[in-house]
Amino acid sequence: MRLSPEDMPGYEEARARGRRRRIVSQEQVAALIGYSTHWYARLELGVQDSYSDDFINQVADVLRLDPVETQLLRLLAGKEAPSAIHSATPEGLQPILEGQPWPAYISNEAWDVVGTNEQLRSWFPGILGHEANVMLWAFTHPDARRRLYRWETDWAPKLLGQLRTAQLRYPDNKRLDVVITEILQANEDARRLWEGPIASFHLDGDIRSLHVPGREKPQPIQIVALEPLRSPGHRLIMLVPVPGKP
């Protein structure tokens, strides 16, 4: 839908013959990427096959995909195998959490919270209530919209985008499916956003704002996300106040 038929080869000739198209055809895309229409059509249908890296890269270039969308395309095309599922709490990391001067927590592939520090518990006491799950809290807890500044634009779309890509990475994670289903059943705005073209792999490095206890104005924070090598799939998340920001 991003492409205009006017930019495609042969448009002027087709227009002269009275054959105008409102959307770009599979044949036109296939001609631009240099592969057969049959091969490209299989990709559009979601058929996982032995697509080459060159083919995927050409498709991403022609369809004008950004880096996140290109990575998502690779997942959909079966170019990256899903990570192994790990549900055990990583050992030895609680002292790391407690040693941080800012809020920090550890979550698993389904965003269940498996470890927190005192700073996190003081900022977000409600996050440990509803099944102790970050995503369920963000979309079903009544306090989340107030705490997550600009929830509708800065938080919700990217969080849902993370859920969507996680569902592709961990197709056998039943807990993740339960979390997504509960969110979509409970939150009308989440259902609306879920129907759109959202994709996000992580929030590491993002700067956004929170309403925190003891502060009248929103507190800008940088999200720092790390993955312990001893336990792939778990995330160590730190909410670091941004120096110099009001």
Side-chain angles (χ1 to χ4, degrees):
M1 296 302 295
R2 289 177 184 167
L3 304 181
S4 169
E6 297 180 10
D7 299 330
M8 297 295 106
Y11 172 78
E12 294 297 334
E13 179 182 350
R15 186 174 66 172
R17 295 178 180 177
R19 297 171 56 197
R20 297 186 179 184
R21 300 183 63 96
R22 290 183 296 176
I23 61 174
V24 174
S25 68
Q26 290 182 341
E27 291 81 2
Q28 290 171 315
V29 174
L32 285 178
I33 64 177
Y35 285 80
S36 71
T37 302
H38 172 75
W39 198 238
Y40 173 70
R42 287 176 62 80
L43 180 69
E44 275 203 3
L45 288 171
V47 178
Q48 294 195 1
D49 211 325
S50 55
Y51 305 112
S52 67
D53 287 334
D54 177 72
F55 173 73
I56 295 297
N57 291 336
Q58 292 288 351
V59 170
D61 182 61
V62 169
L63 298 185
R64 303 174 186 173
L65 304 187
D66 64 27
V68 169
E69 292 167 333
T70 300
Q71 193 172 354
L72 182 62
L73 174 64
R74 293 180 63 83
L75 280 174
L76 289 168
K79 296 298 290 182
E80 295 183 18
S83 300
I85 296 175
H86 297 273
S87 58
T89 303
E91 296 183 1
L93 292 184
Q94 187 61 36
I96 305 299
L97 288 174
E98 298 295 351
Q100 305 307 315
W102 38 69
Y105 67 91
I106 297 175
S107 63
N108 62 17
E109 294 169 348
W111 280 270
D112 291 319
V113 178
V114 298
T116 64
N117 64 2
E118 181 59 35
Q119 290 82 355
L120 190 282
R121 293 189 290 272
S122 66
W123 277 26
F124 304 102
I127 205 170
L128 299 179
H130 187 68
E131 300 185 64
N133 183 283
V134 175
M135 294 298 188
L136 288 175
W137 175 82
F139 289 99
T140 67
H141 196 283
D143 193 44
R145 282 183 183 250
R146 185 178 66 84
R147 291 299 184 94
L148 301 177
Y149 183 63
R150 294 176 178 168
W151 179 94
E152 177 81 18
T153 58
D154 291 4
W155 289 94
K158 280 203 170 184
L159 293 178
L160 288 171
Q162 284 184 278
L163 285 171
R164 173 164 288 167
T165 53
Q167 201 171 37
L168 291 170
R169 284 183 177 275
Y170 315 122
D172 299 322
N173 192 319
K174 302 304 180 184
R175 169 59 177 163
L176 181 61
D177 291 339
V178 169
V179 169
I180 293 173
T181 299
E182 186 170 341
I183 287 171
L184 297 181
Q185 288 177 345
N187 192 305
E188 181 180 355
D189 291 322
R191 291 195 298 273
R192 173 177 53 80
L193 291 169
W194 188 261
E195 293 174 355
I198 52 174
S200 180
F201 281 89
H202 60 74
L203 302 184
D204 183 44
D206 281 10
I207 296 177
R208 52 198 60 207
S209 296
L210 303 165
H211 283 292
V212 300
R215 289 184 59 92
E216 294 184 2
K217 296 182 178 180
Q219 170 64 59
I221 54 96
Q222 179 179 174
I223 300 173
V224 177
L226 308 174
E227 183 176 282
L229 293 178
R230 72 188 70 175
S231 186
H234 282 93
R235 314 171 188 87
L236 170 58
I237 307 294
M238 294 175 284
L239 309 178
V240 184
V242 178
K245 294 286 186 179

